[in-house]
PDB file of all heavy atoms in Angstrom:
ATOM      1  N   GLY A   3     -13.229   1.501 -19.215  1.00  0.00           N
ATOM      2  CA  GLY A   3     -11.916   2.092 -18.997  1.00  0.00           C
ATOM      3  C   GLY A   3     -11.607   2.430 -17.557  1.00  0.00           C
ATOM      4  O   GLY A   3     -10.722   3.256 -17.286  1.00  0.00           O
ATOM      5  N   ALA A   4     -12.318   1.808 -16.625  1.00  0.00           N
ATOM      6  CA  ALA A   4     -12.040   2.011 -15.204  1.00  0.00           C
ATOM      7  C   ALA A   4     -11.269   0.801 -14.683  1.00  0.00           C
ATOM      8  O   ALA A   4     -11.135  -0.221 -15.369  1.00  0.00           O
ATOM      9  CB  ALA A   4     -13.341   2.183 -14.422  1.00  0.00           C
ATOM     10  N   SER A   5     -10.758   0.897 -13.484  1.00  0.00           N
ATOM     11  CA  SER A   5     -10.001  -0.204 -12.913  1.00  0.00           C
ATOM     12  C   SER A   5     -10.451  -0.482 -11.490  1.00  0.00           C
ATOM     13  O   SER A   5     -10.995   0.395 -10.810  1.00  0.00           O
ATOM     14  CB  SER A   5      -8.499   0.099 -12.942  1.00  0.00           C
ATOM     15  OG  SER A   5      -8.214   1.288 -12.233  1.00  0.00           O
ATOM     16  N   HIS A   6     -10.229  -1.698 -11.050  1.00  0.00           N
ATOM     17  CA  HIS A   6     -10.482  -2.069  -9.667  1.00  0.00           C
ATOM     18  C   HIS A   6      -9.367  -1.513  -8.794  1.00  0.00           C
ATOM     19  O   HIS A   6      -8.182  -1.653  -9.121  1.00  0.00           O
ATOM     20  CB  HIS A   6     -10.543  -3.588  -9.533  1.00  0.00           C
ATOM     21  CG  HIS A   6     -10.588  -4.065  -8.115  1.00  0.00           C
ATOM     22  ND1 HIS A   6     -11.698  -3.880  -7.306  1.00  0.00           N
ATOM     23  CD2 HIS A   6      -9.657  -4.706  -7.345  1.00  0.00           C
ATOM     24  CE1 HIS A   6     -11.447  -4.390  -6.105  1.00  0.00           C
ATOM     25  NE2 HIS A   6     -10.230  -4.894  -6.098  1.00  0.00           N
ATOM     26  N   CYS A   7      -9.717  -0.859  -7.702  1.00  0.00           N
ATOM     27  CA  CYS A   7      -8.733  -0.357  -6.741  1.00  0.00           C
ATOM     28  C   CYS A   7      -8.415  -1.484  -5.757  1.00  0.00           C
ATOM     29  O   CYS A   7      -9.284  -1.899  -4.987  1.00  0.00           O
ATOM     30  CB  CYS A   7      -9.281   0.867  -6.009  1.00  0.00           C
ATOM     31  SG  CYS A   7      -8.176   1.509  -4.740  1.00  0.00           S
ATOM     32  N   PHE A   8      -7.210  -1.983  -5.806  1.00  0.00           N
ATOM     33  CA  PHE A   8      -6.790  -3.032  -4.877  1.00  0.00           C
ATOM     34  C   PHE A   8      -6.666  -2.421  -3.489  1.00  0.00           C
ATOM     35  O   PHE A   8      -5.965  -1.422  -3.298  1.00  0.00           O
ATOM     36  CB  PHE A   8      -5.452  -3.616  -5.307  1.00  0.00           C
ATOM     37  CG  PHE A   8      -5.526  -4.401  -6.588  1.00  0.00           C
ATOM     38  CD1 PHE A   8      -5.369  -3.774  -7.812  1.00  0.00           C
ATOM     39  CD2 PHE A   8      -5.771  -5.766  -6.567  1.00  0.00           C
ATOM     40  CE1 PHE A   8      -5.438  -4.489  -8.993  1.00  0.00           C
ATOM     41  CE2 PHE A   8      -5.847  -6.495  -7.743  1.00  0.00           C
ATOM     42  CZ  PHE A   8      -5.688  -5.857  -8.957  1.00  0.00           C
ATOM     43  N   ASN A   9      -7.345  -3.015  -2.506  1.00  0.00           N
ATOM     44  CA  ASN A   9      -7.326  -2.435  -1.166  1.00  0.00           C
ATOM     45  C   ASN A   9      -7.019  -3.473  -0.092  1.00  0.00           C
ATOM     46  O   ASN A   9      -7.592  -4.554  -0.073  1.00  0.00           O
ATOM     47  CB  ASN A   9      -8.633  -1.700  -0.852  1.00  0.00           C
ATOM     48  CG  ASN A   9      -9.866  -2.577  -0.967  1.00  0.00           C
ATOM     49  OD1 ASN A   9      -9.850  -3.636  -1.569  1.00  0.00           O
ATOM     50  ND2 ASN A   9     -10.963  -2.126  -0.395  1.00  0.00           N
ATOM     51  N   PHE A  10      -6.079  -3.114   0.746  1.00  0.00           N
ATOM     52  CA  PHE A  10      -5.759  -3.883   1.951  1.00  0.00           C
ATOM     53  C   PHE A  10      -6.691  -3.352   3.021  1.00  0.00           C
ATOM     54  O   PHE A  10      -6.447  -2.323   3.639  1.00  0.00           O
ATOM     55  CB  PHE A  10      -4.287  -3.642   2.322  1.00  0.00           C
ATOM     56  CG  PHE A  10      -3.808  -4.412   3.523  1.00  0.00           C
ATOM     57  CD1 PHE A  10      -3.686  -5.792   3.492  1.00  0.00           C
ATOM     58  CD2 PHE A  10      -3.439  -3.740   4.680  1.00  0.00           C
ATOM     59  CE1 PHE A  10      -3.221  -6.493   4.593  1.00  0.00           C
ATOM     60  CE2 PHE A  10      -2.971  -4.433   5.787  1.00  0.00           C
ATOM     61  CZ  PHE A  10      -2.857  -5.809   5.744  1.00  0.00           C
ATOM     62  N   TRP A  11      -7.803  -4.049   3.193  1.00  0.00           N
ATOM     63  CA  TRP A  11      -8.894  -3.576   4.041  1.00  0.00           C
ATOM     64  C   TRP A  11      -9.419  -4.742   4.862  1.00  0.00           C
ATOM     65  O   TRP A  11      -9.493  -5.870   4.387  1.00  0.00           O
ATOM     66  CB  TRP A  11     -10.011  -2.966   3.188  1.00  0.00           C
ATOM     67  CG  TRP A  11     -11.211  -2.521   3.958  1.00  0.00           C
ATOM     68  CD1 TRP A  11     -12.432  -3.130   3.993  1.00  0.00           C
ATOM     69  CD2 TRP A  11     -11.311  -1.395   4.824  1.00  0.00           C
ATOM     70  NE1 TRP A  11     -13.288  -2.443   4.819  1.00  0.00           N
ATOM     71  CE2 TRP A  11     -12.621  -1.367   5.350  1.00  0.00           C
ATOM     72  CE3 TRP A  11     -10.417  -0.392   5.219  1.00  0.00           C
ATOM     73  CZ2 TRP A  11     -13.059  -0.397   6.240  1.00  0.00           C
ATOM     74  CZ3 TRP A  11     -10.856   0.583   6.101  1.00  0.00           C
ATOM     75  CH2 TRP A  11     -12.165   0.573   6.596  1.00  0.00           C
ATOM     76  N   SER A  12      -9.815  -4.455   6.078  1.00  0.00           N
ATOM     77  CA  SER A  12     -10.101  -5.490   7.067  1.00  0.00           C
ATOM     78  C   SER A  12     -11.112  -6.532   6.624  1.00  0.00           C
ATOM     79  O   SER A  12     -11.009  -7.696   7.008  1.00  0.00           O
ATOM     80  CB  SER A  12     -10.561  -4.845   8.377  1.00  0.00           C
ATOM     81  OG  SER A  12     -11.699  -4.020   8.159  1.00  0.00           O
ATOM     82  N   ARG A  13     -12.104  -6.159   5.812  1.00  0.00           N
ATOM     83  CA  ARG A  13     -13.161  -7.107   5.456  1.00  0.00           C
ATOM     84  C   ARG A  13     -13.192  -7.425   3.968  1.00  0.00           C
ATOM     85  O   ARG A  13     -14.203  -7.881   3.446  1.00  0.00           O
ATOM     86  CB  ARG A  13     -14.521  -6.559   5.919  1.00  0.00           C
ATOM     87  CG  ARG A  13     -14.646  -6.468   7.436  1.00  0.00           C
ATOM     88  CD  ARG A  13     -16.009  -5.996   7.890  1.00  0.00           C
ATOM     89  NE  ARG A  13     -16.321  -4.647   7.431  1.00  0.00           N
ATOM     90  CZ  ARG A  13     -15.893  -3.544   8.043  1.00  0.00           C
ATOM     91  NH1 ARG A  13     -15.131  -3.635   9.122  1.00  0.00           N
ATOM     92  NH2 ARG A  13     -16.217  -2.346   7.590  1.00  0.00           N
ATOM     93  N   MET A  14     -12.073  -7.166   3.282  1.00  0.00           N
ATOM     94  CA  MET A  14     -11.967  -7.556   1.875  1.00  0.00           C
ATOM     95  C   MET A  14     -10.990  -8.715   1.727  1.00  0.00           C
ATOM     96  O   MET A  14     -10.171  -8.966   2.611  1.00  0.00           O
ATOM     97  CB  MET A  14     -11.484  -6.360   1.052  1.00  0.00           C
ATOM     98  CG  MET A  14     -12.582  -5.355   0.717  1.00  0.00           C
ATOM     99  SD  MET A  14     -13.829  -6.004  -0.443  1.00  0.00           S
ATOM    100  CE  MET A  14     -12.901  -6.017  -1.989  1.00  0.00           C
ATOM    101  N   PRO A  15     -11.085  -9.449   0.614  1.00  0.00           N
ATOM    102  CA  PRO A  15     -10.091 -10.501   0.374  1.00  0.00           C
ATOM    103  C   PRO A  15      -8.682  -9.909   0.345  1.00  0.00           C
ATOM    104  O   PRO A  15      -8.503  -8.705   0.119  1.00  0.00           O
ATOM    105  CB  PRO A  15     -10.488 -11.047  -1.011  1.00  0.00           C
ATOM    106  CG  PRO A  15     -11.916 -10.654  -1.193  1.00  0.00           C
ATOM    107  CD  PRO A  15     -12.081  -9.361  -0.472  1.00  0.00           C
ATOM    108  N   SER A  16      -7.685 -10.733   0.554  1.00  0.00           N
ATOM    109  CA  SER A  16      -6.299 -10.262   0.522  1.00  0.00           C
ATOM    110  C   SER A  16      -5.969  -9.666  -0.840  1.00  0.00           C
ATOM    111  O   SER A  16      -6.650  -9.929  -1.844  1.00  0.00           O
ATOM    112  CB  SER A  16      -5.342 -11.418   0.811  1.00  0.00           C
ATOM    113  OG  SER A  16      -5.339 -12.336  -0.273  1.00  0.00           O
ATOM    114  N   LEU A  17      -4.910  -8.893  -0.893  1.00  0.00           N
ATOM    115  CA  LEU A  17      -4.466  -8.322  -2.167  1.00  0.00           C
ATOM    116  C   LEU A  17      -4.144  -9.421  -3.167  1.00  0.00           C
ATOM    117  O   LEU A  17      -4.445  -9.293  -4.357  1.00  0.00           O
ATOM    118  CB  LEU A  17      -3.242  -7.435  -1.941  1.00  0.00           C
ATOM    119  CG  LEU A  17      -3.464  -6.152  -1.147  1.00  0.00           C
ATOM    120  CD1 LEU A  17      -2.133  -5.483  -0.833  1.00  0.00           C
ATOM    121  CD2 LEU A  17      -4.381  -5.185  -1.894  1.00  0.00           C
ATOM    122  N   ALA A  18      -3.558 -10.505  -2.679  1.00  0.00           N
ATOM    123  CA  ALA A  18      -3.221 -11.623  -3.573  1.00  0.00           C
ATOM    124  C   ALA A  18      -4.483 -12.233  -4.176  1.00  0.00           C
ATOM    125  O   ALA A  18      -4.531 -12.537  -5.375  1.00  0.00           O
ATOM    126  CB  ALA A  18      -2.419 -12.674  -2.811  1.00  0.00           C
ATOM    127  N   GLU A  19      -5.524 -12.404  -3.353  1.00  0.00           N
ATOM    128  CA  GLU A  19      -6.771 -12.972  -3.864  1.00  0.00           C
ATOM    129  C   GLU A  19      -7.450 -12.004  -4.829  1.00  0.00           C
ATOM    130  O   GLU A  19      -8.011 -12.422  -5.851  1.00  0.00           O
ATOM    131  CB  GLU A  19      -7.718 -13.313  -2.718  1.00  0.00           C
ATOM    132  CG  GLU A  19      -8.995 -13.987  -3.191  1.00  0.00           C
ATOM    133  CD  GLU A  19      -9.930 -14.385  -2.062  1.00  0.00           C
ATOM    134  OE1 GLU A  19      -9.477 -14.468  -0.899  1.00  0.00           O
ATOM    135  OE2 GLU A  19     -11.129 -14.612  -2.346  1.00  0.00           O
ATOM    136  N   GLN A  20      -7.397 -10.722  -4.529  1.00  0.00           N
ATOM    137  CA  GLN A  20      -7.975  -9.744  -5.449  1.00  0.00           C
ATOM    138  C   GLN A  20      -7.274  -9.798  -6.802  1.00  0.00           C
ATOM    139  O   GLN A  20      -7.925  -9.751  -7.857  1.00  0.00           O
ATOM    140  CB  GLN A  20      -7.883  -8.339  -4.860  1.00  0.00           C
ATOM    141  CG  GLN A  20      -8.804  -8.110  -3.669  1.00  0.00           C
ATOM    142  CD  GLN A  20      -8.671  -6.717  -3.090  1.00  0.00           C
ATOM    143  OE1 GLN A  20      -8.731  -5.720  -3.809  1.00  0.00           O
ATOM    144  NE2 GLN A  20      -8.500  -6.634  -1.774  1.00  0.00           N
ATOM    145  N   LEU A  21      -5.941  -9.897  -6.786  1.00  0.00           N
ATOM    146  CA  LEU A  21      -5.190  -9.966  -8.039  1.00  0.00           C
ATOM    147  C   LEU A  21      -5.576 -11.214  -8.829  1.00  0.00           C
ATOM    148  O   LEU A  21      -5.760 -11.161 -10.051  1.00  0.00           O
ATOM    149  CB  LEU A  21      -3.698  -9.956  -7.741  1.00  0.00           C
ATOM    150  CG  LEU A  21      -2.762 -10.010  -8.956  1.00  0.00           C
ATOM    151  CD1 LEU A  21      -2.994  -8.824  -9.878  1.00  0.00           C
ATOM    152  CD2 LEU A  21      -1.305 -10.075  -8.507  1.00  0.00           C
ATOM    153  N   GLU A  22      -5.721 -12.330  -8.143  1.00  0.00           N
ATOM    154  CA  GLU A  22      -6.100 -13.576  -8.817  1.00  0.00           C
ATOM    155  C   GLU A  22      -7.489 -13.456  -9.427  1.00  0.00           C
ATOM    156  O   GLU A  22      -7.721 -13.891 -10.569  1.00  0.00           O
ATOM    157  CB  GLU A  22      -6.059 -14.733  -7.819  1.00  0.00           C
ATOM    158  CG  GLU A  22      -6.423 -16.077  -8.422  1.00  0.00           C
ATOM    159  CD  GLU A  22      -6.360 -17.210  -7.415  1.00  0.00           C
ATOM    160  OE1 GLU A  22      -6.044 -16.953  -6.233  1.00  0.00           O
ATOM    161  OE2 GLU A  22      -6.640 -18.357  -7.810  1.00  0.00           O
ATOM    162  N   ARG A  23      -8.433 -12.837  -8.709  1.00  0.00           N
ATOM    163  CA  ARG A  23      -9.806 -12.737  -9.201  1.00  0.00           C
ATOM    164  C   ARG A  23      -9.933 -11.721 -10.327  1.00  0.00           C
ATOM    165  O   ARG A  23     -10.744 -11.908 -11.248  1.00  0.00           O
ATOM    166  CB  ARG A  23     -10.745 -12.400  -8.045  1.00  0.00           C
ATOM    167  CG  ARG A  23     -10.893 -13.561  -7.063  1.00  0.00           C
ATOM    168  CD  ARG A  23     -11.664 -13.208  -5.819  1.00  0.00           C
ATOM    169  NE  ARG A  23     -13.053 -12.849  -6.087  1.00  0.00           N
ATOM    170  CZ  ARG A  23     -13.936 -12.581  -5.143  1.00  0.00           C
ATOM    171  NH1 ARG A  23     -13.583 -12.636  -3.864  1.00  0.00           N
ATOM    172  NH2 ARG A  23     -15.180 -12.279  -5.467  1.00  0.00           N
ATOM    173  N   VAL A  24      -9.136 -10.659 -10.280  1.00  0.00           N
ATOM    174  CA  VAL A  24      -9.161  -9.682 -11.383  1.00  0.00           C
ATOM    175  C   VAL A  24      -8.615 -10.310 -12.652  1.00  0.00           C
ATOM    176  O   VAL A  24      -9.095 -10.050 -13.763  1.00  0.00           O
ATOM    177  CB  VAL A  24      -8.359  -8.426 -10.999  1.00  0.00           C
ATOM    178  CG1 VAL A  24      -8.137  -7.527 -12.218  1.00  0.00           C
ATOM    179  CG2 VAL A  24      -9.093  -7.634  -9.915  1.00  0.00           C
ATOM    180  N   GLY A  25      -7.593 -11.147 -12.519  1.00  0.00           N
ATOM    181  CA  GLY A  25      -7.024 -11.805 -13.685  1.00  0.00           C
ATOM    182  C   GLY A  25      -6.159 -10.855 -14.485  1.00  0.00           C
ATOM    183  O   GLY A  25      -5.353 -10.110 -13.932  1.00  0.00           O
ATOM    184  N   SER A  26      -6.347 -10.835 -15.782  1.00  0.00           N
ATOM    185  CA  SER A  26      -5.524  -9.996 -16.648  1.00  0.00           C
ATOM    186  C   SER A  26      -5.733  -8.517 -16.330  1.00  0.00           C
ATOM    187  O   SER A  26      -6.860  -8.046 -16.171  1.00  0.00           O
ATOM    188  CB  SER A  26      -5.866 -10.254 -18.110  1.00  0.00           C
ATOM    189  OG  SER A  26      -5.179  -9.344 -18.947  1.00  0.00           O
ATOM    190  N   LEU A  27      -4.627  -7.770 -16.256  1.00  0.00           N
ATOM    191  CA  LEU A  27      -4.686  -6.322 -16.041  1.00  0.00           C
ATOM    192  C   LEU A  27      -4.491  -5.557 -17.349  1.00  0.00           C
ATOM    193  O   LEU A  27      -4.403  -4.330 -17.327  1.00  0.00           O
ATOM    194  CB  LEU A  27      -3.588  -5.907 -15.044  1.00  0.00           C
ATOM    195  CG  LEU A  27      -3.666  -6.524 -13.653  1.00  0.00           C
ATOM    196  CD1 LEU A  27      -2.441  -6.105 -12.834  1.00  0.00           C
ATOM    197  CD2 LEU A  27      -4.941  -6.092 -12.944  1.00  0.00           C
ATOM    198  N   ALA A  28      -4.441  -6.266 -18.459  1.00  0.00           N
ATOM    199  CA  ALA A  28      -4.060  -5.655 -19.729  1.00  0.00           C
ATOM    200  C   ALA A  28      -4.953  -4.492 -20.132  1.00  0.00           C
ATOM    201  O   ALA A  28      -4.505  -3.556 -20.798  1.00  0.00           O
ATOM    202  CB  ALA A  28      -4.051  -6.717 -20.828  1.00  0.00           C
ATOM    203  N   SER A  29      -6.223  -4.521 -19.723  1.00  0.00           N
ATOM    204  CA  SER A  29      -7.145  -3.447 -20.126  1.00  0.00           C
ATOM    205  C   SER A  29      -7.172  -2.293 -19.134  1.00  0.00           C
ATOM    206  O   SER A  29      -7.907  -1.327 -19.342  1.00  0.00           O
ATOM    207  CB  SER A  29      -8.559  -4.013 -20.287  1.00  0.00           C
ATOM    208  OG  SER A  29      -9.044  -4.498 -19.042  1.00  0.00           O
ATOM    209  N   SER A  30      -6.375  -2.371 -18.076  1.00  0.00           N
ATOM    210  CA  SER A  30      -6.398  -1.332 -17.040  1.00  0.00           C
ATOM    211  C   SER A  30      -5.481  -0.175 -17.431  1.00  0.00           C
ATOM    212  O   SER A  30      -4.273  -0.371 -17.592  1.00  0.00           O
ATOM    213  CB  SER A  30      -5.937  -1.908 -15.699  1.00  0.00           C
ATOM    214  OG  SER A  30      -6.770  -2.958 -15.276  1.00  0.00           O
ATOM    215  N   PRO A  31      -6.018   1.037 -17.568  1.00  0.00           N
ATOM    216  CA  PRO A  31      -5.169   2.177 -17.917  1.00  0.00           C
ATOM    217  C   PRO A  31      -4.284   2.630 -16.768  1.00  0.00           C
ATOM    218  O   PRO A  31      -3.270   3.286 -16.974  1.00  0.00           O
ATOM    219  CB  PRO A  31      -6.180   3.268 -18.295  1.00  0.00           C
ATOM    220  CG  PRO A  31      -7.437   2.890 -17.589  1.00  0.00           C
ATOM    221  CD  PRO A  31      -7.444   1.401 -17.506  1.00  0.00           C
ATOM    222  N   ARG A  32      -4.692   2.282 -15.534  1.00  0.00           N
ATOM    223  CA  ARG A  32      -3.914   2.624 -14.336  1.00  0.00           C
ATOM    224  C   ARG A  32      -4.350   1.662 -13.234  1.00  0.00           C
ATOM    225  O   ARG A  32      -5.440   1.101 -13.286  1.00  0.00           O
ATOM    226  CB  ARG A  32      -4.162   4.066 -13.896  1.00  0.00           C
ATOM    227  CG  ARG A  32      -5.531   4.300 -13.290  1.00  0.00           C
ATOM    228  CD  ARG A  32      -6.007   5.692 -13.381  1.00  0.00           C
ATOM    229  NE  ARG A  32      -6.050   6.164 -14.740  1.00  0.00           N
ATOM    230  CZ  ARG A  32      -7.013   5.862 -15.629  1.00  0.00           C
ATOM    231  NH1 ARG A  32      -7.990   5.027 -15.292  1.00  0.00           N
ATOM    232  NH2 ARG A  32      -6.979   6.344 -16.843  1.00  0.00           N
ATOM    233  N   ILE A  33      -3.494   1.512 -12.251  1.00  0.00           N
ATOM    234  CA  ILE A  33      -3.829   0.691 -11.094  1.00  0.00           C
ATOM    235  C   ILE A  33      -3.569   1.512  -9.834  1.00  0.00           C
ATOM    236  O   ILE A  33      -2.522   2.155  -9.703  1.00  0.00           O
ATOM    237  CB  ILE A  33      -3.002  -0.613 -11.057  1.00  0.00           C
ATOM    238  CG1 ILE A  33      -3.442  -1.560 -12.168  1.00  0.00           C
ATOM    239  CG2 ILE A  33      -3.116  -1.295  -9.696  1.00  0.00           C
ATOM    240  CD1 ILE A  33      -4.866  -2.082 -12.039  1.00  0.00           C
ATOM    241  N   VAL A  34      -4.537   1.472  -8.916  1.00  0.00           N
ATOM    242  CA  VAL A  34      -4.383   2.106  -7.614  1.00  0.00           C
ATOM    243  C   VAL A  34      -4.423   1.016  -6.554  1.00  0.00           C
ATOM    244  O   VAL A  34      -5.303   0.144  -6.581  1.00  0.00           O
ATOM    245  CB  VAL A  34      -5.493   3.150  -7.348  1.00  0.00           C
ATOM    246  CG1 VAL A  34      -5.343   3.757  -5.950  1.00  0.00           C
ATOM    247  CG2 VAL A  34      -5.473   4.240  -8.407  1.00  0.00           C
ATOM    248  N   VAL A  35      -3.461   1.047  -5.639  1.00  0.00           N
ATOM    249  CA  VAL A  35      -3.401   0.109  -4.510  1.00  0.00           C
ATOM    250  C   VAL A  35      -3.449   0.937  -3.233  1.00  0.00           C
ATOM    251  O   VAL A  35      -2.618   1.833  -3.041  1.00  0.00           O
ATOM    252  CB  VAL A  35      -2.104  -0.715  -4.537  1.00  0.00           C
ATOM    253  CG1 VAL A  35      -2.088  -1.722  -3.387  1.00  0.00           C
ATOM    254  CG2 VAL A  35      -1.930  -1.421  -5.872  1.00  0.00           C
TER     255      VAL A  35
END
């Protein structure tokens, strides 16, 4: 029941790539960006 925190951070993949890799968000109770 936890979620991945999407982060615009210098050494992480782009937000778009993170969204693609996470895939479905249906099980996420909340999203933090």
Side-chain angles (χ1 to χ4, degrees):
S5 58
H6 171 70
C7 177
F8 292 88
N9 58 342
F10 182 68
W11 177 253
S12 57
R13 294 183 298 278
M14 280 292 287
S16 69
L17 293 172
E19 184 178 342
Q20 290 179 50
L21 181 60
E22 181 179 1
R23 290 172 64 176
V24 169
S26 174
L27 299 175
S29 64
S30 300
R32 72 204 57 78
I33 290 295
V34 178
V35 182

